[in-house]
């Protein structure tokens, strides 16, 4: 384009030197209604107009680009504000009461100072453990079925159901487990709480597993199968190994999510003021204990609820950041 | 002989579209057979049918027979993994396992498909396979580096070593050099030449010079029209195919008049 423009200008320059001999070469380029003599001036003025216009346009384009960037950056900052505020407020309120004895001792009756949420922390860890034992294998296997054994009809149904399940409010899952286990065995229990949390984990783990396995290129599946490696070995040793980092991240994020669930535990694990005594007995958990302490009328308990919140937030943060670091290292090894 | 393969009226389709049809062909043992032909004539599909890889594609159908070691590999009592162990395959794009080390890549087939083996035995087979694939000298100090860290040409030879390690009778190669530079191509062709005493090779290639250089027998495939299934037009000793082909289509293709 610019080359043609330059050539035209050179031709115009030649025309300037000998204006009387209108060069036949430029003639076809001139609109027929224009007198040949004015052609050159028009060319030039039109050019300069073109350039000045484009400078304006360029400035406005740059402005719009900067505006779009600013909007994006602003939205990011606004989205971060609640997170930062929550974090700082929880630390501000909770850090004062957080000490070793808070982490290791039982709650004291009203009126006595001190005491802690050791039982709730232990209970939460047990509940998360039961949930993981149920949710992770089932979720990973279901995800494997979706990604590897591409049975279109079954996959379609499973995917739809898992999407619905992930959208079901957690309290409904709690009621379901209450009807299924608590009413049947006439007993609130750690198992019931763990099952409820495990059900909540399932769809997240299954879908992350599926997505991560789908990211493994088909050429690797073919490479493995072509060596005479059976399908199941290909999946366990090649596909899951390659997708492992991503699957682990999904599992950790799902765990972090259920660690803070309160509603499904209210009528499954119930809560307790003592150390966990058995999986078939009611068990304390951080979110439920925070809830109970926070709605109580006692200042002492409110402070304890804040400290418990801080512990819960730290557990969730640890899981999220841990999974990021883990996944990051895996990716580095892969590349 | 274990390396001998014959196809009988072999046909294959994807989701109702016939890719190849009516292919009756013989692959002699311990020779290099080249499959040539223009793009889209079904060369790769044909190759994948020889080791039951075509059936992995959703909607794939296969008709006819592939006889290997006296048995039809598509017979109901045949196990696909056993067929694939005996008839190995090297793909167009090098596909080493990215997270496995060079050594683990080579031994993957042994560790994951064969029975338990001592570490020393595995190390021995790894070394031998890498030597056969002419890669040992370049990677002997990087056996624990990930397979993905090698260059493209090295990765392809790693894939050849990986295929050799399970000790198949036949090795199928689907345009193994199309992503490689001339030096790497040369090394792979030398490897094939050296190994053909003990292995049967079938190599799909777009490169006519390569077919002429490495193969003993050649088959020319062609689909008469766009969308028509590919057929085996002519096959025979490479010399004859390249100098005095019987069919007009073969001559046109060889002399570069189309394709």
């Amino acid at each position: 384009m610019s080359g043609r423009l330059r050539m035209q200008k050179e031709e115009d320059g030649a025309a300037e030197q000998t204006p009387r001999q209108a060069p036949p070469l430029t003639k076809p380029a001139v609109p027929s209604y224009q007198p040949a003599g004015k052609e050159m001036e028009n060319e030039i003025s039109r050019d300069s107009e073109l350039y000045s216009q484009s400078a304006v346009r360029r400035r406005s384009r740059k402005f719009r680009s900067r505006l779009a960037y600013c909007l994006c950056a602003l939205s990011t900052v606004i989205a971060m504000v609640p997170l930062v505020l929550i974090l700082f407020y929880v630390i501000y309120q909770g850090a004062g009461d957080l000490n070793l004895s808070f982490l290791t001792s039982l709650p004291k009756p009203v009126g006595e100072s001190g005491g802690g949420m050791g039982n709730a922390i232990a209970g939460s860890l047990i509940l998360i453990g039961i949930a993981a034992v149920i949710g992770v294998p089932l979720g990973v296997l279901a995800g494997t079925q979706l990604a590897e054994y591409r049975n279109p009809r079954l996959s379609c149904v499973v995917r739809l159901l898992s999407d619905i399940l992930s959208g079901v409010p957690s309290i409904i899952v709690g009621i379901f487990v209450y009807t299924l286990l608590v009413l049947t065995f006439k007993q609130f229990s750690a198992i019931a709480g763990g099952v409820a949390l495990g059900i909540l984990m399932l769809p997240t783990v299954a879908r992350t597993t599926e997505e991560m396995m789908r990211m493994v290129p088909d050429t690797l599946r073919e490479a493995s199968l072509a060596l005479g490696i059976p399908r199941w070995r290909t999946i366990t040793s090649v596909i899951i190994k390659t997708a492992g980092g991503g699957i682990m991240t999904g599992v950790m994020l799902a765990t972090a999510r259920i660690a803070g669930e309160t509603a499904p535990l209210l009528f499954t694990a119930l809560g307790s003021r003592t150390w966990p005594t058995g999986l078939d007995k009611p068990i304390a958990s951080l979110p439920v204990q925070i809830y109970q302490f926070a709605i109580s009328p006692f200042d002492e308990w409110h402070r304890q609820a804040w400290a418990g919140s801080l512990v819960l937030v730290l557990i969730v943060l640890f899981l999220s950041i841990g999974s990021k670091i883990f996944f990051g290292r895996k990716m580095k090894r892969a590349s | 002989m274990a390396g001998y393969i014959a196809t009988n009226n072999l046909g294959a389709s994807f989701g109702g579209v016939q890719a190849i049809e009516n292919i009756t062909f013989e692959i002699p043992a311990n020779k290099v057979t080249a499959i040539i032909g223009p793009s889209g004539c079904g060369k790769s599909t044909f190759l994948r049918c020889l080791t039951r890889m075509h059936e992995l594609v959703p909607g794939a159908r296969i008709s006819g027979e592939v006889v290997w070691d006296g048995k039809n590999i598509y017979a109901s009592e045949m196990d696909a993994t056993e067929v694939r162990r005996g008839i190995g395959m090297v793909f167009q794009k090098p596909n080493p396992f990215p997270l496995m080390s060079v050594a683990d890549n080579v031994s993957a087939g042994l560790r994951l498909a064969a029975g338990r083996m001592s570490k020393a035995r595995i190390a021995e087979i790894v070394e031998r396979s890498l030597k056969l694939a002419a890669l040992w000298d370049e990677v002997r100090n990087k056996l624990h580096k990930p397979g993905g860290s090698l260059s493209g040409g090295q990765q392809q030879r790693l894939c050849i070593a990986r295929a050799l390690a399970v000790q198949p009778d036949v090795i199928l190669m689907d345009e193994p050099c199309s992503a490689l530079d001339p030096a790497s191509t040369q090394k792979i062709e030398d490897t094939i030449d050296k190994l053909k005493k003990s292995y049967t090779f079938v190599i799909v290639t777009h490169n006519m010079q390569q077919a002429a250089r490495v193969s003993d027998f050649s088959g020319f495939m062609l689909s008469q029209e766009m969308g028509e299934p590919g057929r085996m037009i002519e096959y025979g000793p490479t010399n004859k195919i390249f100098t005095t082909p019987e069919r007009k289509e073969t001559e046109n293709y060889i002399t570069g008049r189309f394709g």
Side-chain angles (χ1 to χ4, degrees):
Chain A
M1 189 67 207
S2 69
R4 223 182 73 199
L5 211 68
R6 209 181 307 131
M7 249 172 61
Q8 249 177 14
K9 272 187 188 163
E10 276 164 17
E11 281 164 6
D12 291 349
E16 205 172 10
Q17 282 169 356
T18 52
R20 290 290 155 208
Q21 306 164 352
L25 260 174
T26 53
K27 223 171 186 175
V30 184
S32 55
Y33 58 84
Q34 272 190 343
K38 283 190 177 173
E39 162 225 320
M40 182 189 66
E41 285 168 39
N42 278 348
E43 272 309 301
I44 291 168
S45 66
R46 210 182 294 144
D47 271 2
S48 63
E49 196 185 319
L50 192 74
Y51 280 119
S52 72
Q53 219 177 36
S54 98
V56 171
R57 273 204 203 129
R58 203 182 306 137
R59 234 172 296 150
S60 111
R61 195 180 62 226
K62 276 195 171 166
F63 172 74
R64 271 176 293 160
S65 157
R66 216 166 290 151
L67 185 72
Y69 173 78
C70 288
L71 281 177
C72 289
L74 189 68
S75 308
T76 312
V77 170
I78 292 174
M80 298 293 290
V81 165
L83 175 67
V84 174
L85 282 184
I86 288 170
L87 215 56
F88 276 96
Y89 200 63
V90 170
I91 292 172
Y92 169 72
Q93 292 279 2
D97 289 271
L98 188 62
N99 50 41
L100 194 64
S101 112
F102 179 83
L103 297 176
T104 55
S105 55
L106 287 175
K108 288 271 167 63
V110 186
E112 284 180 47
S113 65
M117 290 199 176
N119 61 332
I121 294 169
S124 264
L125 293 179
I126 291 171
L127 286 170
I128 290 171
I130 297 171
V133 164
I134 294 166
V136 173
L138 280 180
V140 169
L141 288 175
T144 306
Q145 141 70 31
L146 288 177
E148 295 300 317
Y149 297 96
R150 296 173 189 170
N151 176 342
R153 216 173 302 156
L154 181 62
S155 298
C156 189
V157 172
V158 172
R159 212 168 286 138
L160 181 69
L161 290 181
S162 114
D163 283 350
I164 293 173
L165 184 57
S166 68
V168 169
S170 55
I171 194 154
I172 308 287
V173 173
I175 293 171
F176 166 71
V177 175
Y178 173 78
T179 325
L180 190 77
L181 293 178
V182 178
L183 287 186
T184 314
F185 296 103
K186 301 190 170 51
Q187 177 77 50
F188 293 102
S189 66
I191 297 273
V195 168
L197 295 184
I199 291 174
L200 285 170
M201 266 182 103
L202 255 179
T204 319
V205 175
R207 292 310 295 272
T208 334
T209 304
E210 185 199 355
E211 268 156 43
M212 290 302 145
M213 285 182 143
R214 276 180 189 277
M215 275 167 63
V216 176
D218 273 341
T219 54
L220 284 190
R221 284 184 189 91
E222 289 190 337
S224 174
L225 292 171
L227 288 171
I229 298 172
R231 188 84 175 262
W232 67 273
R233 270 325 279 266
T234 298
I235 292 170
T236 54
S237 299
V238 177
I239 312 292
I240 292 192
K241 229 178 199 174
T242 312
I247 296 174
M248 269 315 284
T249 307
V251 168
M252 296 247 215
L253 289 179
T255 311
R257 198 210 135 188
I258 59 152
E261 281 291 350
T262 321
L265 295 177
L266 288 175
F267 22 74
T268 52
L270 192 65
S272 153
R273 289 289 156 80
T274 62
W275 290 103
T277 48
L279 296 185
D280 56 344
K281 297 283 179 328
I283 195 169
S285 62
L286 268 175
V288 173
Q289 201 132 323
I290 291 166
Y291 167 71
Q292 287 169 345
F293 276 40
I295 59 171
S296 78
F298 315 114
D299 267 351
E300 175 77 23
W301 282 19
H302 290 170
R303 285 211 305 280
Q304 299 243 321
W306 277 115
S309 307
L310 179 57
V311 173
L312 189 55
V313 167
L314 288 179
I315 290 176
V316 171
L317 268 185
F318 177 77
L319 284 173
S320 310
I321 294 172
S323 71
K324 284 269 181 295
I325 292 173
F326 183 81
F327 191 41
R329 199 172 300 154
K330 272 266 171 177
M331 290 313 281
K332 219 177 277 168
R333 260 183 64 199
S335 60
Chain B
M1 224 188 296
Y4 172 81
I5 296 180
T7 70
N8 187 8
N9 203 11
L10 183 69
S13 62
F14 304 91
V17 180
Q18 198 73 24
I20 55 172
E21 196 174 70
N22 204 4
I23 296 187
T24 300
F25 190 60
E26 275 174 52
I27 294 157
N30 298 356
K31 299 279 182 217
V32 179
T33 302
I35 311 287
I36 56 172
S39 295
C41 70
K43 304 184 296 291
S44 293
T45 305
F46 172 67
L47 200 69
R48 292 166 65 89
C49 284
L50 297 182
T51 185
R52 294 194 61 170
M53 293 298 285
H54 179 63
E55 67 199 49
L56 297 175
V57 184
R61 284 257 164 98
I62 295 140
S63 61
E65 288 185 325
V66 176
V67 178
W68 166 60
D69 204 11
K71 281 172 280 185
N72 178 11
I73 64 170
Y74 287 102
S76 55
E77 73 273 11
M78 288 295 277
D79 180 20
T81 57
E82 248 164 71
V83 171
R84 293 178 195 138
R85 216 170 295 161
I87 305 177
M89 185 154 179
V90 174
F91 297 85
Q92 180 171 4
K93 228 181 113 206
N95 54 0
F97 302 121
L99 291 177
M100 287 188 196
S101 69
V102 169
D104 285 351
N105 257 286
V106 178
S107 63
L110 294 174
R111 287 181 294 113
L112 304 178
R116 284 205 152 275
M117 269 184 176
S118 71
K119 278 192 176 162
R121 178 99 180 93
I122 286 181
E124 188 190 311
I125 295 178
V126 166
E127 182 176 339
R128 198 186 60 203
S129 308
L130 284 169
K131 277 179 178 162
L132 287 177
L135 189 60
W136 176 251
D137 292 333
E138 289 161 59
V139 300
R140 58 191 309 169
N141 298 321
K142 312 188 205 173
L143 290 178
H144 299 289
K145 289 246 176 94
S149 68
L150 301 181
S151 75
Q154 289 174 330
Q155 285 187 16
Q156 192 63 303
R157 275 178 287 147
L158 179 63
C159 292
I160 294 175
R162 184 174 66 183
L164 290 171
V166 292
Q167 300 174 9
D169 298 327
V170 183
I171 294 182
L172 311 176
M173 294 182 156
D174 188 359
E175 298 182 42
C177 303
S178 63
L180 305 182
D181 63 285
S184 302
T185 303
Q186 172 79 47
K187 280 186 182 147
I188 286 177
E189 286 179 10
D190 289 347
T191 307
I192 295 172
D193 207 51
K194 198 171 64 192
L195 291 175
K196 73 177 181 188
K197 280 188 227 87
S198 30
Y199 293 89
T200 303
F201 283 95
V202 184
I203 176 167
V204 162
T205 178
H206 267 299
N207 181 334
M208 231 96 64
Q209 285 85 4
Q210 182 172 53
R213 276 195 306 265
V214 300
S215 71
D216 305 300
F217 291 86
S218 293
F220 171 62
M221 282 181 72
L222 181 66
S223 77
Q224 298 291 358
E225 255 176 71
M226 198 63 187
E228 285 274 297
R231 291 159 187 269
M232 191 66 75
I233 298 294
E234 184 172 357
Y235 73 91
T238 299
N239 260 339
K240 184 170 173 302
I241 295 282
F242 275 81
T243 52
T244 53
E246 276 168 20
R247 298 281 297 261
K248 190 75 191 152
E249 297 98 316
T250 316
E251 192 188 328
N252 284 347
Y253 183 71
I254 303 270
T255 52
R257 243 166 270 171
F258 82 99

